[in-house]
Amino acid sequence: MAFFFFPFDSLICVLLGISFTVWFTLLLVFIIVPAIFGVSLGIRKLYMKTLLKIFKWATLRIERGAKEKNHLLYKPYTNGIIAKEPMSLEEEIKEIRRSGSSKDLSSPEFEMSDIFYFCRKGVESIMDDEVTKRFSPEELESWNLLTRSNYNFQHISLRLTVLWGLGLLIRYCFLLPLRITLAFTGVGLLVVGTTMVGILPNGRFKNFLSEKVHLMCYRICVRALTAIITYHDSENKPKNGGICVANHTSPIDVIILASDGCYAMVGQVHGGLMGIIQRSMVKACPHIWFERSEVKDRSLVAKRLSDHVEDKTKLPILIFPEGTCINNTSVMMFKKGSFEIGTTMYPVAIKYDPRFGDAFWNSSKYGMVSYLLRMMSSWAIVCSVWYLPPVTRECLSNGTAVCCYRTVMTNSGV
């Protein structure tokens, strides 16, 4: 009996070996090697155009089916915080009176129960303000075959359901394993490469190798998200001795920007895997890591940043002055700490396309691991990056300096 199963086991081992060989060969040829040299084969753009055609067909099919079945397809009064129905003042007051003991629903006389309408509207106005909306995911008006993107759509047809199921298989059975493999490859190469570069003596050759290793690894990580990035106005890219300030939507903002140029990162010292990455990166490049006890010491933080920007041979510092992730529909007021340093500021605007996947990280709802899994199981991450003209604080007050970013963005039409 054992002799009968040996050939079968050997065949499985051979097939698995061939599968892994083909898998890693395709990764090396079509993804890793182009990432090393910073070239694109155009596969991701073709993939994006194909997805747009599928989304358009699916949306039209849903709208037609909803019209035939007389379903309310879109709920424009729902923003994920408070569900509102398009009712007039008179209708809502009648509804309140109907649930009470009032006999005359259409009476123009004021009743005590009417105050509940105004109390509810007041509470809604407090909860549903402009700031609160920026911390909730943006809901799409068109369906991208992701149930997480729009909860208003209902079952319309068998073909559409089959298409959704096929998309689910592609995302979780093909794209997710591919992206996880690329992510581990990029992070592993980053740790090994920066550690080896850190052994070299300080000088131009070490800086050159450090830049190439960082760019290569970040580009591989970008491909792990199937990120399609369009960079605008590259002549305004941050230069050494300056500070790059950008709006903040997601932790992947760092990878998006660093895949087009190297930056000195600023952050708190971590343990575990993140700590290993931080320690290896700082060996090859002068990043700025703070201990937990040092983060709240503003004078120490400002001194470390000032010392860095005074050395024109060091990379520009990357900072997200909003201090938290915003849902990419607006920009919050910047914290003024980074603007107190007398150096050139390089504003950068990042705008994600939510049709392919929502990049917003709601840290109160999702942990880092679950968020990254959501990103890797989305269709793609599509975004545009605008390098805005540099600005310098010339005897301006702190409040005026903080407003420079908003002014530059408005003048640039972003």
Side-chain angles (χ1 to χ4, degrees), residues 243-258 263-266 317-326 332-335 338-339 348-350 352 405:
I243 295 179
C244 174
V245 291
N247 58 307
H248 199 24
T249 303
S250 160
I252 66 174
D253 294 339
V254 175
I255 303 174
I256 297 295
L257 294 177
Y263 296 90
M265 309 298 176
V266 179
I317 299 174
L318 177 59
I319 296 179
F320 300 101
E322 287 174 298
T324 186
C325 293
I326 310 299
M332 294 285 285
M333 176 62 75
F334 285 179
K335 296 182 178 179
S338 58
F339 295 90
V348 175
I350 308 173
Y352 291 91
Y405 183 86

Side-chain angles (χ1 to χ4, degrees), residues 83-288:
K84 299 180 181 179
E85 296 295 336
M87 297 176 63
S88 64
L89 170 66
E90 293 80 4
E91 291 174 341
E92 292 202 33
I93 290 181
K94 285 182 181 180
E95 186 67 25
I96 294 173
R97 290 182 178 182
R98 187 178 292 109
S99 61
S101 58
S102 177
K103 296 181 180 180
D104 188 3
L105 300 179
S106 59
S107 173
E109 298 295 328
F110 175 79
E111 294 188 10
M112 286 298 296
S113 61
D114 296 345
I115 64 174
F116 290 108
Y117 168 80
F118 300 100
C119 291
R120 188 180 70 183
K121 286 298 180 181
V123 173
E124 285 182 357
S125 298
I126 295 173
M127 296 295 297
D128 191 22
D129 64 333
E130 293 298 324
V131 175
T132 307
K133 291 179 181 178
R134 299 174 185 178
F135 296 96
S136 60
E138 180 182 4
E139 188 169 339
L140 301 179
E141 291 187 355
S142 61
W143 193 33
N144 59 0
L145 302 180
L146 294 174
T147 53
R148 70 188 71 156
S149 63
N150 197 311
Y151 300 98
N152 294 335
F153 294 109
Q154 304 177 29
H155 170 75
I156 298 297
S157 68
L158 179 62
R159 284 188 299 173
L160 206 58
T161 304
V162 170
L163 181 62
W164 173 82
L166 181 62
L168 187 71
L169 290 175
I170 292 174
R171 289 188 292 111
Y172 282 94
C173 298
F174 176 72
L175 292 179
L176 183 59
L178 173 66
R179 291 166 176 171
I180 290 176
T181 304
L182 286 174
F184 276 103
T185 302
V187 173
L189 288 175
L190 180 64
V191 172
V192 175
T194 51
T195 301
M196 295 178 63
V197 172
I199 300 174
L200 301 175
N202 293 332
R204 291 185 178 181
F205 182 65
K206 179 180 179 179
N207 294 338
F208 173 79
L209 283 182
S210 174
E211 179 179 349
K212 295 303 178 184
V213 168
H214 278 85
L215 286 175
M216 175 189 69
C217 297
Y218 285 130
R219 286 167 179 168
I220 293 175
C221 292
V222 160
R223 283 161 171 77
L225 298 169
T226 315
I228 304 166
I229 313 168
T230 304
Y231 297 97
H232 305 270
D233 303 325
S234 295
E235 66 275 9
N236 296 325
K237 286 177 63 174
K239 297 178 175 57
N240 290 357
I243 295 179
C244 174
V245 291
N247 58 307
H248 199 24
T249 303
S250 160
I252 66 174
D253 294 339
V254 175
I255 303 174
I256 297 295
L257 294 177
S259 63
D260 191 46
C262 291
Y263 296 90
M265 309 298 176
V266 179
Q268 182 178 310
V269 175
H270 293 275
L273 177 60
M274 184 62 69
I276 295 174
I277 297 173
Q278 286 181 323
R279 288 191 294 272
S280 62
M281 288 175 61
V282 80
K283 293 177 182 178
C285 178
H287 298 284
I288 305 174

Side-chain angles (χ1 to χ4, degrees), residues 19-36 39 41 43 174-186 189 219-220 223-226:
S19 301
F20 280 111
T21 302
V22 172
W23 178 264
F24 283 103
T25 301
L26 292 175
L27 286 181
L28 184 67
V29 173
F30 291 102
I31 299 179
I32 296 177
V33 172
I36 293 174
V39 298
L41 302 179
I43 298 175
F174 176 72
L175 292 179
L176 183 59
L178 173 66
R179 291 166 176 171
I180 290 176
T181 304
L182 286 174
F184 276 103
T185 302
L189 288 175
R219 286 167 179 168
I220 293 175
R223 283 161 171 77
L225 298 169
T226 315

Side-chain angles (χ1 to χ4, degrees), residues 372-389:
L372 291 177
L373 286 176
R374 286 172 63 88
M375 291 298 96
M376 290 185 178
S377 60
S378 297
W379 290 112
I381 300 298
V382 180
C383 69
S384 295
V385 176
W386 283 269
Y387 294 110
L388 306 179

